[in-house]
Amino acid sequence: MADSSPLSFLADNSVAAAIKDAYTSFSERREALGLSNPGTVDNIGREVQKDVLLSNFMFTGLRADLTKAFGMSPLFRVSHAFSMGGSGNLPPYNFSAMYGSQNVFMQGNLGSDGGLAAVGNYRWTDKFVTKTNAQVMSGAGQALMQIDNDYTGDDFSASIKGFNPSILEGGLTGIFVGSYLQSITPSLALGFEAIWQRQGMSTRPETALSYCAKYKTPEWIASAQLQAQGVLSASYWRKLSERVEAGVDMNLQFAPNAAAAMMGGPSRDGTTSIGAKYDFRASTFRAQVDSAGKVSCLLEKRIAMPIALTFAGEIDQAKQTAKLGLAVSLEIAGEELMEQQEKIEAQGMVTPPF
C-alpha cells in the first residue's frame, strides 16, 4: 500500500532517491576501507598524557584510601580518603559513593571542607552517552555544571559539551564546545574543535577553532593539536616492549608580547616532557623529566590482593625544591564479589559509561 502521509512527497521523488543512492554508495565505500574508531578529540593524546606521564597520578603528602565493595554487577562501592600535608586541593577527609550498571553510572564526593562533586552518566545506546558533572567549590561559593553528549561511530567520534549553560539572563550564556574526529585512513584521523562562549549578556560572544590530527600504527602513535590562541600541542607514544611504554609531550605557545613585537615577532614559551612506564607483575613504575628542570617518579606496588602502596617523588632543579608523597590503599571485597568480577571480565560485558 502506498504511503498516504502528507509528507510522503519529500521522500518519493527523484531528488530524494538520488541523495539516498549517493549516501548508500558513500557508506558502502567507507565501510570497505575498514576504518576504526579514532577515539575522541579530548583524548587524542591519552596514551602519553593520561597513561605514561605523571600529570594525573602525582601527589604530595600522606594519603590513605579505604574502599568497600558491595556489588560488582551492578557496581556499588563506597570509599573514605584521608590526606595530610598535601600541596593540592584535597581536603583532609573525603567520602565517595559509586554506582554503575551497563547504562547508568553515578558518583558523589563530599569533602570535609564542604566541597561537593557529583557525576551522572547515562548510556542511551551503545554509541550515545550523556555525561553530567556538577561541582560546588568550598569557600569561594563557585559552582560548575557540565553536560556532555558523546557519540561514538564506527569510524568517527562527535561530542557537544556545555559548561554552565544558562538562559536566565534573557539569552544564552556559558561555554559550548563541539568536536569531531574522523578516520581518513586506517592509520590517519583528522578533526576539529569549535568553542563558543559568552560570560554575560553585557559582553560579546567569543569563538575559537582548533585543529587536530592523529596517526596510529601498531607500535607507535603521534598526535598534534593547533589551537586558535596560538598553542601547539604534540605527543608521541611508543610501545618499546610488552611491559614498557614511553612518550614525549610538547606544548608550545606563541603569545603576543609588546617587547617581542618591537623585535619583529611574537614570544615563544613551551615545555617538553619525556616519560616512561614499566609494568611489572604486581607493580607499575612511571618516570618523567621535563624541560623546566623537574624530575618525577611514581611507584605503585600491590602488596597483597587488597593492599596497594604508592610512592611519589619530585625534584625541581630550577627552584631547588623536593616533594614526596606516600599513599596506602585498602580495598575490601568478599570472595563472591571477586568471582563476579572474574565472570564479568570473562564474558566481556559492557562497562558502565564512565
Side-chain angles (χ1 to χ4, degrees):
M1 179 180 295
D3 189 359
S4 58
S5 174
L7 300 178
S8 61
F9 71 94
L10 295 176
D12 298 339
N13 58 77
S14 59
V15 176
I19 295 176
K20 182 178 180 181
D21 293 340
Y23 178 78
T24 302
S25 178
F26 175 75
S27 299
E28 292 176 351
R29 290 173 179 267
R30 191 172 67 177
E31 185 177 355
L33 294 175
L35 303 178
S36 60
N37 183 272
T40 62
V41 173
D42 289 342
N43 295 325
I44 194 169
R46 178 184 181 89
E47 293 80 8
V48 177
Q49 300 170 359
K50 298 185 179 181
D51 292 340
V52 175
L53 299 184
L54 277 67
S55 304
N56 295 331
F57 303 94
M58 195 64 193
F59 67 96
T60 59
L62 301 178
R63 197 177 69 190
D65 299 326
L66 175 62
T67 303
K68 171 64 175 179
F70 295 93
M72 300 303 298
S73 181
L75 174 67
F76 179 65
R77 62 178 60 181
V78 297
S79 62
H80 308 268
F82 305 87
S83 63
M84 181 177 63
S87 59
N89 298 323
L90 293 177
Y93 171 74
N94 188 80
F95 173 78
S96 176
M98 179 190 301
Y99 172 86
S101 64
Q102 294 187 16
N103 297 324
V104 179
F105 172 77
M106 295 182 293
Q107 182 177 8
N109 299 312
L110 178 62
S112 58
D113 59 350
L116 176 64
V119 177
N121 302 344
Y122 185 80
R123 177 182 279 121
W124 303 92
T125 65
D126 292 341
K127 298 182 178 182
F128 182 59
V129 177
T130 297
K131 304 177 181 179
T132 58
N133 184 0
Q135 297 182 16
V136 178
M137 286 70 168
S138 60
Q142 298 179 353
L144 171 66
M145 181 66 182
Q146 178 180 344
I147 303 176
D148 300 359
N149 294 282
D150 299 334
Y151 186 86
T152 305
D154 295 334
D155 58 1
F156 72 94
S157 294
S159 174
I160 298 178
K161 302 179 182 180
F163 297 86
N164 287 341
S166 175
I167 56 174
L168 300 180
E169 298 183 19
L172 185 63
T173 60
I175 302 175
F176 300 88
V177 181
S179 62
Y180 183 85
L181 187 62
Q182 172 71 58
S183 293
I184 305 301
T185 69
S187 299
L188 178 64
L190 301 177
F192 69 91
E193 184 177 69
I195 301 176
W196 184 93
Q197 61 178 346
R198 191 171 191 174
Q199 301 299 330
M201 295 304 299
S202 59
T203 61
R204 297 180 60 182
E206 300 178 0
T207 59
L209 186 64
S210 62
Y211 305 92
C212 59
K214 182 177 183 180
Y215 193 87
K216 181 178 181 180
T217 69
E219 296 181 352
W220 58 270
I221 300 174
S223 62
Q225 187 171 13
L226 178 61
Q227 300 180 8
Q229 298 85 354
V231 179
L232 174 62
S233 302
S235 63
Y236 177 80
W237 173 89
R238 187 176 184 89
K239 192 173 186 65
L240 302 178
S241 66
E242 183 180 356
R243 297 179 178 272
V244 182
E245 304 174 14
V248 181
D249 184 71
M250 182 194 70
N251 188 283
L252 184 61
Q253 182 174 3
F254 297 88
N257 183 281
M262 295 178 62
M263 301 299 294
S267 64
R268 294 185 296 271
D269 185 18
T271 56
T272 301
S273 302
I274 302 175
K277 175 185 176 183
Y278 300 81
D279 287 323
F280 301 99
R281 186 178 61 85
S283 61
T284 300
F285 177 75
R286 292 178 174 88
Q288 174 183 326
V289 58
D290 60 28
S291 58
K294 292 183 181 180
V295 180
S296 309
C297 67
L298 186 138
L299 175 64
E300 298 173 315
K301 174 68 175 179
R302 183 164 292 279
I303 305 300
M305 196 60 187
I307 304 175
L309 294 177
T310 304
F311 171 81
E314 179 184 281
I315 299 177
D316 193 330
Q317 302 289 346
K319 299 181 180 179
Q320 295 295 313
T321 59
K323 300 178 182 179
L324 294 176
L326 177 63
V328 180
S329 301
L330 176 62
E331 185 172 354
I332 304 174
E335 295 183 359
E336 296 182 357
L337 297 181
M338 298 301 295
E339 293 178 357
Q340 291 181 15
Q341 176 66 18
E342 293 177 356
K343 291 180 180 179
I344 292 175
E345 294 178 354
Q347 296 175 359
M349 297 178 62
V350 178
T351 58
F354 289 16

